[in-house]
């Protein structure tokens, strides 16, 4: 069935982002560019971002990724 995701599913409750939104999560300007091209989409619905390997480069942690999204902090004790 041809058509865009919005045509086929016009009212999703939220967007699930599968990670690797930028080439490397170390550079803020890469994130700024990603947000600049996706602002229209992100304003429509809540987004649930999942960190990918590019968002946690070289095992340095996904701190930059987590700092840029307003995520709930209600994980079970001992889980970041």
């Amino acid at each position: 069935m041809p058509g865009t995701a919005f045509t086929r599913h016009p009212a999703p409750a939220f967007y699930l982002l599968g990670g690797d939104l930028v080439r490397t999560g170390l550079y803020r300007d890469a994130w700024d560019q990603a947000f600049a091209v996706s602002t229209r989409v992100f304003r429509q619905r809540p987004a649930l971002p999942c960190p990918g390997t590019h968002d946690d480069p070289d095992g340095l942690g996904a701190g930059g990724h987590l700092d840029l999204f307003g995520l709930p902090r209600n994980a079970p004790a001992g889980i970041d």
Side-chain angles (χ1 to χ4, degrees), residues 46-70:
L48 176 61
C50 300
T53 54
H54 294 218
D55 305 318
D56 178 10
D58 301 321
L60 296 174
H65 180 269
L66 298 174
D67 290 344
L68 294 168
F69 291 96

Side-chain angles (χ1 to χ4, degrees), residues 18-80:
D20 295 339
L21 302 175
V22 295
R23 178 173 283 167
T24 177
L26 290 175
Y27 305 109
R28 176 58 193 253
D29 54 334
W31 286 106
D32 290 343
Q33 291 173 4
F35 287 127
V37 299
S38 58
T39 298
R40 186 174 148 253
V41 173
F42 286 167
R43 286 183 177 166
Q44 295 176 11
R45 304 275 188 286
L48 176 61
C50 300
T53 54
H54 294 218
D55 305 318
D56 178 10
D58 301 321
L60 296 174
H65 180 269
L66 298 174
D67 290 344
L68 294 168
F69 291 96
L71 302 174
R73 301 285 184 178
N74 63 348
I79 298 177
D80 292 335

Side-chain angles (χ1 to χ4, degrees), residues 1-13 15 45:
M1 174 182 217
T4 67
F6 289 116
T7 301
R8 295 173 63 191
H9 307 282
Y15 300 124
R45 304 275 188 286

